[in-house]
Amino acid sequence: MVKKMQLDATSAYAITSAIVLISMLIPEAKAQGIGNEMVKMCLFYDSPSGHVRSDPIINQACASGHVHTFYGPKNFHPDTTYEDLINTPKEFSTSPFVENQSLYWHPSFYEVTNNGATFTRVSDLESSPYYRWDKSVTPLVEAFPPGFRMIAASSDAGAHNAMFTECCNFSGNGGESCQDWNFLNFPDTPCDFLGIALAMPTCWEGQQLGDTNNHKNHMAYTTDGTVAGDCPGGFNHRLPEIQFFIRINNYKGGTYQLSDAQTDFHVDFFNGWQDGVLQNIIDNCDFYRDQVSFFFVMLYVNIQYSLSCFMLCSVKVHITTILCSTHMPFNIRWQTNRDTTLHVIAPQ
């Protein structure tokens, strides 16, 4: 049984439709040990920051060949730098966290109607970059260095298990009923949302930042495609895996295509974490197996706040059960002066 407790919190939080569930994901099917201690940190973006013909990784001087949809800072001019990202004022970013002004983007989605004569860009989008790592394996995970960037595509070597699409409908009990595919697919039938996800590689060769090469060959997928898998030879550094999840809300079905007219899907990441913050989370937020002392916290927020030592998972509706360890300190620095209510859900 779950009991709700309502706590007043003045001058501390802000209400919105977005729900942030602070959580440590605990794998239930595996015992603690090497390769079985994955941590997942999920950051929720309830809307894109823009749609524009720009690609700050590919070309720093000219417009991109196709439109991209961006999440995070509104600094997506072709010559955007790491310093531009980390100095973005919070009012010019859709990132919910002050310390993470990373930029994520993908080819824009277009609905095709009138027998192919009309292309309408899809704007009702949400995104959740999932950061995943496992400190029980070597090489030990480390944070993205300043200035780091990369591109990943579903057709890349080693990405055979990195892509999926799901068409989901909400059920009356708050669950979901989904049909899924292991490739990019725009099904003919409508659904409440179409989810598209691509996991980026996690093994780094330790030298290039992705700015002067082809933006891909400094990274590689693990040999078995899993977060805790072995890194191939020549890639002796492990970075957090980013699984980039995009949701098309109220998916209509029919004909859709990417702005680059490709059938493969690709995503781009430009690191905008303040130096040292992500490494502190990796180092000090540990995996716990004590399943007696867990509780749930939901915060209704509309503003950017500071990351401390905690794991985050954010969804807008239909929260699923994810456990949060009581060992973790919750000293969050909120960026607002408005009143609201903090809802704490605890097991009874």
Side-chain angles (χ1 to χ4, degrees):
M1 180 178 178
V2 172
K3 177 183 178 182
K4 287 189 177 182
M5 298 175 289
Q6 183 166 309
L7 307 177
D8 292 328
T10 59
S11 302
Y13 313 100
I15 295 177
T16 190
S17 58
I19 301 173
V20 177
L21 175 61
I22 300 177
S23 63
M24 170 75 85
L25 182 66
I26 306 299
E28 297 180 356
K30 296 182 179 180
Q32 184 174 359
I34 295 176
N36 294 339
E37 300 183 15
M38 186 178 77
V39 172
K40 177 162 69 173
M41 180 172 67
C42 166
L43 310 180
F44 177 70
Y45 295 70
D46 62 1
S47 66
S49 52
H51 312 267
V52 64
R53 280 186 57 190
S54 177
D55 191 325
I57 292 180
I58 293 292
N59 194 320
Q60 288 75 50
C62 299
S64 171
H66 54 272
V67 179
H68 287 106
T69 296
F70 291 82
Y71 305 84
K74 296 182 179 180
N75 277 318
F76 33 67
H77 191 277
D79 65 1
T80 295
T81 66
Y82 171 73
E83 288 71 25
D84 293 331
L85 295 180
I86 63 174
N87 291 313
T88 301
K90 63 176 186 279
E91 61 268 26
F92 297 117
S93 176
T94 58
S95 173
F97 308 111
V98 173
E99 290 93 340
N100 179 27
Q101 297 300 333
S102 297
L103 200 57
Y104 316 84
W105 65 96
H106 59 79
S108 298
F109 305 121
Y110 283 83
E111 182 184 10
V112 184
T113 55
N114 296 331
N115 295 318
T118 303
F119 293 77
T120 304
R121 192 189 67 238
V122 178
S123 298
D124 189 3
L125 300 168
E126 299 169 343
S127 174
S128 299
Y130 288 79
Y131 285 65
R132 305 191 292 187
W133 63 84
D134 189 319
K135 291 197 295 183
S136 70
V137 295
T138 56
L140 293 177
V141 65
E142 57 191 274
F144 301 102
F148 180 89
R149 62 206 79 184
M150 64 175 162
I151 301 174
S154 57
S155 57
D156 289 346
H160 50 280
N161 293 321
M163 176 86 205
F164 74 84
T165 307
E166 59 180 5
C167 197
C168 300
N169 290 298
F170 298 125
S171 58
N173 61 2
E176 298 172 359
S177 175
C178 302
Q179 182 179 6
D180 58 85
W181 304 263
N182 62 354
F183 54 88
L184 178 66
N185 186 39
F186 295 106
D188 293 332
T189 55
C191 51
D192 289 335
F193 72 86
L194 185 73
I196 299 169
L198 177 63
M200 307 187 82
T202 187
C203 299
W204 178 40
E205 45 86 83
Q207 298 181 5
Q208 300 184 85
L209 297 178
D211 52 348
T212 58
N213 60 339
N214 67 354
H215 322 296
K216 287 187 175 185
N217 63 13
H218 59 309
M219 296 295 295
Y221 287 93
T222 59
T223 55
D224 63 0
T226 66
V227 173
D230 293 332
C231 285
F235 295 85
N236 57 351
H237 294 260
R238 190 187 299 269
L239 305 176
E241 180 193 82
I242 298 177
Q243 183 189 54
F244 194 47
F245 185 89
I246 305 104
R247 174 183 287 189
I248 301 177
N249 293 312
N250 303 307
Y251 178 71
K252 299 178 182 178
T255 303
Y256 287 75
Q257 76 170 51
L258 300 176
S259 57
D260 61 0
Q262 300 297 309
T263 55
D264 294 322
F265 187 60
H266 74 269
V267 297
D268 299 57
F269 168 71
F270 195 153
N271 176 36
W273 283 88
Q274 291 180 10
D275 194 19
V277 173
L278 181 57
Q279 190 63 55
N280 181 59
I281 294 173
I282 293 170
D283 291 343
N284 297 307
C285 295
D286 293 328
F287 175 91
Y288 292 102
R289 291 298 304 180
D290 179 9
Q291 297 199 25
V292 176
S293 57
F294 296 121
F295 64 97
F296 309 93
V297 181
M298 287 195 303
L299 302 173
Y300 293 73
V301 300
N302 189 28
I303 35 72
Q304 297 192 358
Y305 52 89
S306 278
L307 285 164
S308 183
C309 180
F310 54 83
M311 295 297 98
L312 304 157
C313 189
S314 314
V315 291
K316 194 168 185 177
V317 292
H318 302 286
I319 284 187
T320 55
T321 300
I322 298 178
L323 300 178
C324 176
S325 170
T326 55
H327 292 280
M328 311 180 81
F330 293 94
N331 51 329
I332 305 171
R333 177 167 56 88
W334 297 88
Q335 306 296 308
T336 183
N337 291 318
R338 288 177 287 178
D339 297 344
T340 189
T341 300
L342 170 65
H343 297 269
V344 179
I345 300 181
Q348 175 177 304

